[in-house]
Amino acid sequence: MQDLDPVETQEWLDALESVLDREGEDRAHYLMTRMGELATRSGTPLPYGITTPYRNTIPVTREAKMPGDLFMERRIRSLVRWNALAMVMRANLKDPDLGGHISTFASSATLYDIGFNYFFQAPTEEHGGDLIYYQGHASPGIYARAFLEGRLTEEQMLNFRQEVDGKGLSSYPHPHLMPDFWQFPTVSMGLGPITAIYQARFMKYLENRGFIPKGKQRVWCFIGDGECDEPETLGAISLAGRENLDNLVFVINCNLQRLDGPVRGNSKIIQELEGVFKGANWNVNKVIWGRLWDPLFAADEDGRMQRRMDEAIDGEYQNYKAKDGAYVRKHFFGADPELLKRVESMSDEEVWKLNRGGHDPYKVYAAYHQAVNHKGQPTVILAKTIKGYGTGAGEAKNIAHNTKKVDIDSLKKFRDRFDIPVNDSQLEELPFYRPAEDSAEMKYLRKCRDKLGGHLPQRRPKSFSIPTPPLETLKAVLDGSGDREISTTMAFGRILSQLVKDKDLGKRIVPILADEARTFGMEGMFRQLGIYSPVGQLYEPVDRDQVMYYREEKDGQILQEGLNEAGAFSSFIAAGTAYSNYNQPMLPVYIFYSMFGFQRIGDLAWAAGDAQTRGFLLGGTSGRTTLNGEGLQHEDGHSHILASTIPNCRSYDPTYGYELAVIMHHGMHEMMEQQKSVYYYITVMNENYQQPAMPQGVEDGIIKGMYLLEESKGDFKHRVQLLGSGTILREVRAAVDILAKMGVGADVWSVTSFNELRRDGLAVDRWNRLHPTEEPRKSYVQQCLEGREGPVIASTDYMKLFADQIRQWVPSREYQVLGTDGFGRSDSRAKLRDFFEVDRRWVTVAALQALADRGAIERTVVANAITEFGIDPEKRNPLDC
């Protein structure tokens, strides 16, 4: 836009500059806000942009000065770079298939180094320690620093990605594999950012509830710019801005490249992210240019260089660093003859050395210093770097991400560039280098970390134990519901209401809801426990005159996450790992629609296992035929199969309240008292029926996965064994009377966990295989069913695969499985159970069919039953799509 009155323009600018100099930023902001209000009232559209010019947010005059020894820090950082490179290359010389990443850490070495030297607080008696989410692909650099510190041995470095023999280092941050080292699994892109946000929020939760001191700990999350394409990376940033999480710092390594090419070749990823984060109320700090650019900016009085920087796009910036100084001179500065004049006194090498902000320790320090001192907002640091910085042939090129080897010429250049004390004859051996213990480098390295409490990363595998309330505490549920019909969801509510009163455990329970409390009958807890809000309740709720009104409190115990399963599960992980991160054992209890659990957030569920999370997941309205009116998208017939894929997830499908009580009591004992790193998935139903009292002596069977619930009495010629779980167990029990009228006796087994039965069977098989000369052990399924008469029929509200997974341990060769394969649909429960072929009639037909297959009865008996029950033999197969 042409300036029609430059004199007037300058007067306005001078006035603004005067206000800034004499009265400060707050006054200038106030005046501009008032002018904006005036323009809005008059209907004048403002030339407002949510992004700022393409330059550093912090001007040179306001940069905090880095206090350390730049030379010594560069020396240490260079050695870390070398050892990271050597570790990956040596592993691949041994086995080219091992892989590994060089380029990510090469671009972010300075970002980590400044944090380690000045900002990352380790846990001490006075400080809980900062929580750092390292970018997964940067793990070689974190190992290399730990090696330099003496925390890792050369043998471990030589066994990078070679873990089976127990001597190696995991490929990425994996707490399960390195339980004393890594805190958070982050390499599945997007999971680090979303879990870091909810971790920072949970940190505030613990502060406001009095579990940890306020304002000491901080969450740092390192991310790649390409990772920001993942919905989980940016999907929860509004929560951080809304709740003013000033204990959270995102550091986004903007090397402009993802795995296959530029992140935003046709635009600018840094500008895009600035707008996104500013719109979510974050403090945005861009670190784009290093200090070698400062003189050029100082001379840019007419704004020509700034305009050139604003117009150049990331695809061009990638080219500038993939080529050389002459290319930069011609294509960047040469786009404007005036700019070209400004660098005519500079050599091509000097032009080439014009550095990016993410590689300049002074600029990075200033950004971190501003971040940790900023109040009231989370901070994101957008640091511009070069992918594969210093690695030679692949630097800034599209192949950089997959680089795991470097040619000898590039190695020499790397060595010379970073002053590595390795001569030419040693280069091909790629020796690790660690200075002498009494060297200046080692003294400086330890001095930096001593100031910050010790080494990082480190993880606390165990905390202190919390005693489990006696099972009798849940007597009201164990005794059944009498004549009243209630669902297992209601039984769960009663269990939870009792547990939160316990003097030791109660305050440590973290109820988590994804906006479904009223669905699950838990709204009564709103008033009892309060919903956590960092500002309390600033309004009067519309239901204030009701007994169970909506109550928000600063020290509220409930986490009400809204319609956000990924966020709720991230809170589950934060709470379930608090024993490690805060030395505060907490017990998260998260209830949700079972259909929207593992299916929707399976990657997070796997990460929870890796992170050694402890807690209870309750899959509400479970089964494919219980949520009868909701149809295909809401009916779950497979969550237990998905749960079975996670090694440390214990899953149960109880039918009765007493089973649920026993399972939860056992889980509390394992997780809170024994400190086992497992978590539980338990399905509960919304179907109401009478809840019986617990029979004597069934507790052990409930936990192991099955127990004899009902034994057929009488003189029957034929017998069958009927297995059932969840809501379909009631159909199984109803089939007993039908079979009895046909002269068939039936024993009924309540199977609380087919998954646990399978786990036991596999363990027994393995033991037998490895001990061929010893007496074979028997699986628990075999122990239960051996010696029992008749075929075995299993029925559940889940896919047939769920019950079929124990087939190899069922003694009877006639093992029939009924289940709900296929898409769900809406109808009455009776209609749905007929459609999916799991009701009492179908159980009866399956039992008769198994007897006929055995030759015990004529096949006409089966055919007559089908006719009597009104079953159409040609009815549609539920699996037909």
Side-chain angles (χ1 to χ4, degrees):
M1 181 183 297
Q2 185 179 359
D3 190 346
L4 300 178
D5 192 341
V7 175
E8 181 185 32
T9 301
Q10 192 59 48
E11 288 176 352
W12 279 90
L13 294 176
D14 289 344
L16 177 60
E17 188 172 20
S18 175
V19 171
L20 284 168
D21 288 342
R22 298 186 180 191
E23 301 179 66
E25 287 183 4
D26 289 344
R27 177 62 177 166
H29 184 272
Y30 173 78
L31 291 174
M32 288 189 288
T33 300
R34 291 301 304 275
M35 285 190 287
E37 291 171 356
L38 176 61
T40 302
R41 285 200 303 271
S42 66
T44 303
L46 292 170
Y48 174 74
I50 203 166
T51 59
T52 58
Y54 198 62
R55 64 190 299 162
N56 295 350
T57 301
I58 303 175
V60 175
T61 55
R62 297 194 180 185
E63 290 177 0
K65 301 304 179 184
M66 190 176 74
D69 184 332
L70 177 65
F71 173 81
M72 189 60 66
E73 291 182 19
R74 182 185 184 277
R75 173 81 175 138
I76 293 168
R77 186 162 59 249
S78 297
L79 295 178
V80 173
R81 289 181 185 276
W82 171 262
N83 287 327
L85 178 76
M87 181 183 69
V88 174
M89 287 186 64
R90 289 182 73 161
N92 281 279
L93 288 173
K94 186 187 298 186
D95 184 344
D97 293 330
L98 286 174
H101 298 84
I102 296 171
S103 298
T104 294
F105 180 72
S107 66
S108 58
T110 302
L111 301 178
Y112 287 109
D113 192 50
I114 296 301
F116 278 119
N117 287 342
Y118 299 103
F119 295 97
F120 299 163
Q121 176 71 46
T124 64
E125 289 187 6
E126 295 77 28
H127 195 294
D130 289 342
L131 306 181
I132 305 168
Y133 290 72
Y134 302 92
Q135 194 178 357
H137 292 95
S139 62
I142 311 305
Y143 289 140
R145 186 181 181 93
F147 168 72
L148 208 61
E149 294 171 335
R151 301 177 62 209
L152 297 178
T153 66
E154 184 166 330
E155 182 182 25
Q156 287 174 298
M157 296 285 281
L158 287 170
N159 283 283
F160 174 59
R161 292 194 169 203
Q162 300 157 75
E163 304 169 77
V164 171
D165 293 331
K167 300 176 182 178
L169 302 174
S170 64
S171 52
Y172 303 121
H174 291 304
H176 174 72
L177 298 170
M178 297 180 68
D180 299 320
F181 193 84
W182 295 117
Q183 287 182 293
F184 310 109
T186 55
V187 80
S188 189
M189 293 189 182
L191 299 195
I194 191 171
T195 51
I197 288 171
Y198 281 87
Q199 185 71 253
R201 194 279 202 91
F202 191 72
M203 185 183 288
K204 294 279 191 180
Y205 170 93
L206 290 177
E207 289 177 0
N208 285 323
R209 293 196 60 215
F211 283 100
I212 61 174
K214 288 191 175 185
K216 287 195 171 184
Q217 292 180 262
R218 189 174 303 277
V219 175
W220 295 79
C221 181
F222 287 81
I223 314 165
D225 49 358
E227 188 174 358
C228 293
D229 288 342
E230 291 283 1
E232 292 88 351
T233 301
L234 302 181
I237 62 172
S238 61
L239 168 74
R242 183 171 66 249
E243 298 207 0
N244 309 119
L245 299 180
D246 53 11
N247 59 341
L248 174 64
V249 180
F250 270 22
V251 181
I252 304 186
N253 175 19
C254 298
N255 58 34
L256 314 186
Q257 292 178 237
R258 28 169 123 97
L259 278 68
D260 296 325
V263 177
R264 295 290 185 273
N266 296 313
S267 59
K268 282 186 172 73
I269 186 60
I270 289 177
Q271 299 298 88
E272 177 183 324
L273 292 175
E274 178 186 22
V276 170
F277 280 94
K278 273 193 175 180
N281 192 35
W282 285 55
N283 169 43
V284 179
N285 195 328
K286 296 192 293 189
V287 187
I288 298 177
W289 305 118
R291 64 190 181 281
L292 298 181
W293 284 92
D294 289 345
L296 292 172
F297 273 108
D300 190 37
E301 294 182 359
D302 58 3
R304 284 177 178 272
M305 189 175 72
Q306 184 62 66
R307 285 193 292 274
R308 179 68 186 113
M309 287 179 166
D310 291 340
E311 70 186 14
I313 56 178
D314 281 357
E316 294 174 302
Y317 281 119
Q318 184 182 349
N319 253 319
Y320 298 149
K321 285 304 178 183
K323 299 295 195 306
D324 54 27
Y327 184 90
V328 176
R329 182 189 302 276
K330 177 181 178 181
H331 292 277
F332 179 78
F333 293 102
D336 183 336
E338 179 58 32
L339 288 184
L340 198 56
K341 291 179 184 177
R342 296 182 190 179
V343 294
E344 61 186 4
S345 64
M346 299 173 64
S347 67
D348 286 347
E349 184 179 0
E350 288 173 322
V351 170
W352 176 246
K353 285 184 177 179
L354 289 170
N355 56 340
R356 292 186 175 175
H359 299 301
D360 189 316
Y362 289 105
K363 303 296 186 183
V364 175
Y365 177 86
Y368 285 11
H369 184 274
Q370 192 262 8
V372 299
N373 287 285
H374 186 82
K375 302 300 181 184
Q377 289 176 296
T379 293
V380 59
I381 294 168
L382 303 172
K384 190 174 184 179
T385 63
I386 303 165
K387 192 152 191 175
Y389 179 73
T391 57
E395 184 172 341
K397 295 182 180 177
N398 289 339
I399 61 170
H401 183 82
N402 292 320
T403 298
K404 55 187 178 181
K405 297 178 182 177
V406 176
D407 62 86
I408 195 68
D409 288 337
S410 293
L411 268 181
K412 288 180 180 179
K413 290 177 182 177
F414 185 98
R415 176 200 61 189
D416 295 342
R417 181 173 183 174
F418 296 111
D419 303 312
I420 309 298
V422 175
N423 60 42
D424 286 354
S425 63
Q426 296 175 301
L427 269 181
E428 291 192 17
E429 299 173 12
L430 291 162
F432 296 122
Y433 185 85
R434 179 191 284 156
E437 286 299 310
D438 61 351
S439 66
E441 293 92 339
M442 296 301 284
K443 290 178 181 177
Y444 189 89
L445 185 68
R446 293 204 166 90
K447 177 183 176 182
C448 289
R449 289 312 309 163
D450 287 345
K451 285 182 179 179
L452 292 165
H455 295 304
L456 287 173
Q458 60 170 286
R459 180 180 177 276
R460 179 189 295 107
K462 289 188 179 292
S463 183
F464 54 90
S465 294
I466 304 298
T468 310
L471 183 59
E472 291 71 31
T473 302
L474 306 177
K475 188 175 186 300
V477 176
L478 298 174
D479 289 346
S481 62
D483 294 333
R484 187 183 176 193
E485 293 188 344
I486 68 170
S487 66
T488 49
T489 301
M490 293 176 68
F492 160 70
R494 293 180 177 182
I495 292 170
L496 191 59
S497 295
Q498 189 63 44
L499 292 176
V500 295
K501 299 173 186 175
D502 183 77
K503 63 181 179 65
D504 296 309
L505 179 66
K507 65 181 180 180
R508 296 182 177 277
I509 293 174
V510 184
I512 302 173
L513 300 160
D515 201 35
E516 292 290 351
R518 300 183 193 280
T519 301
F520 303 126
M522 293 177 61
E523 65 272 26
M525 288 193 173
F526 290 165
R527 184 172 181 182
Q528 178 187 0
L529 302 178
I531 299 162
Y532 171 72
S533 166
V535 297
Q537 193 158 38
L538 306 178
Y539 62 95
E540 183 176 70
V542 296
D543 55 359
R544 182 65 177 83
D545 57 341
Q546 298 179 19
V547 174
M548 296 181 288
Y549 64 86
Y550 196 85
R551 181 171 71 92
E552 299 185 70
E553 295 287 351
K554 287 184 179 180
D555 60 352
Q557 192 165 348
I558 297 170
L559 291 177
Q560 225 286 19
E561 306 293 8
L563 294 172
N564 184 358
E565 286 85 1
F569 202 91
S570 296
S571 284
F572 175 79
I573 293 174
T577 54
Y579 70 92
S580 175
N581 300 324
Y582 306 98
N583 199 26
Q584 290 292 341
M586 307 298 284
L587 183 66
V589 182
Y590 170 31
I591 186 167
F592 51 88
Y593 272 122
S594 66
M595 186 65 174
F596 303 139
F598 288 92
Q599 174 173 299
R600 180 165 288 184
I601 48 84
D603 203 6
L604 280 165
W606 186 262
D610 190 351
Q612 308 293 278
T613 305
R614 302 168 186 172
F616 289 110
L617 299 174
L618 279 296
T621 61
S622 71
R624 191 148 279 163
T625 69
T626 61
L627 195 60
N628 47 313
E630 296 286 345
L632 181 150
Q633 194 64 39
H634 286 64
E635 292 179 348
D636 164 34
H638 49 276
S639 66
H640 277 287
I641 294 169
L642 299 176
S644 73
T645 65
I646 300 168
N648 51 359
C649 176
R650 305 286 184 255
S651 59
Y652 289 87
D653 184 35
T655 306
Y656 298 120
Y658 68 80
E659 294 176 339
L660 178 62
V662 169
I663 293 164
M664 291 191 69
H665 181 266
H666 179 77
M668 287 185 291
H669 179 68
E670 277 200 317
M671 295 183 290
M672 300 299 284
E673 194 163 341
Q674 296 181 322
Q675 298 194 61
K676 290 185 179 179
S677 292
V678 296
Y679 67 92
Y680 279 64
Y681 175 58
I682 309 172
T683 42
V684 290
M685 278 79 70
N686 64 329
E687 187 172 358
N688 294 327
Y689 44 85
Q690 289 183 5
Q691 299 289 335
M694 183 171 71
Q696 286 189 349
V698 299
E699 293 93 324
D700 188 55
I702 290 172
I703 299 305
K704 287 183 176 179
M706 66 184 289
Y707 64 96
L708 184 61
L709 177 65
E710 183 180 332
E711 190 168 18
S712 179
K713 304 298 183 183
D715 187 17
F716 293 100
K717 184 177 180 181
H718 307 293
R719 288 184 177 271
V720 293
Q721 304 299 311
L722 302 183
L723 281 57
S725 76
T727 191
I728 301 303
L729 176 60
R730 297 178 64 246
E731 293 295 323
V732 169
R733 298 189 76 173
V736 172
D737 293 337
I738 302 174
L739 286 166
K741 293 175 183 177
M742 297 180 172
V744 178
D747 298 334
V748 176
W749 298 81
S750 177
V751 181
T752 52
S753 180
F754 283 101
N755 287 347
E756 288 301 298
L757 293 177
R758 178 179 182 272
R759 192 189 302 270
D760 169 78
L762 291 175
V764 168
D765 283 358
R766 179 180 181 275
W767 191 92
N768 290 339
R769 189 179 306 118
L770 296 174
H771 301 82
T773 62
E774 299 187 42
E775 183 178 352
R777 294 177 178 176
K778 293 182 180 179
S779 70
Y780 183 65
V781 173
Q782 288 174 290
Q783 294 175 42
C784 289
L785 294 177
E786 262 188 0
R788 292 278 170 177
E789 294 182 46
V792 180
I793 294 86
S795 309
T796 78
D797 213 14
Y798 291 84
M799 295 170 63
K800 295 180 178 69
L801 181 61
F802 181 44
D804 202 52
Q805 61 185 328
I806 67 166
R807 179 178 295 276
Q808 70 193 81
W809 301 289
V810 175
S812 172
R813 62 184 177 84
E814 295 89 13
Y815 181 49
Q816 298 276 347
V817 172
L818 304 183
T820 55
D821 293 67
F823 284 121
R825 58 196 61 216
S826 298
D827 213 311
S828 67
R829 291 189 180 112
K831 280 280 192 180
L832 290 173
R833 287 165 187 168
D834 174 43
F835 176 79
F836 286 110
E837 304 170 4
V838 293
D839 69 14
R840 61 198 67 186
R841 299 170 306 141
W842 288 94
V843 174
T844 301
V845 169
L848 295 175
Q849 176 68 39
L851 288 169
D853 289 345
R854 179 173 281 197
I857 61 174
E858 297 294 329
R859 295 190 179 275
T860 54
V861 175
V862 187
N864 291 338
I866 291 173
T867 301
E868 181 183 342
F869 294 151
I871 294 174
D872 179 7
E874 306 305 320
K875 75 181 283 287
R876 177 181 175 178
N877 186 335
L879 267 177
D880 291 343
C881 296

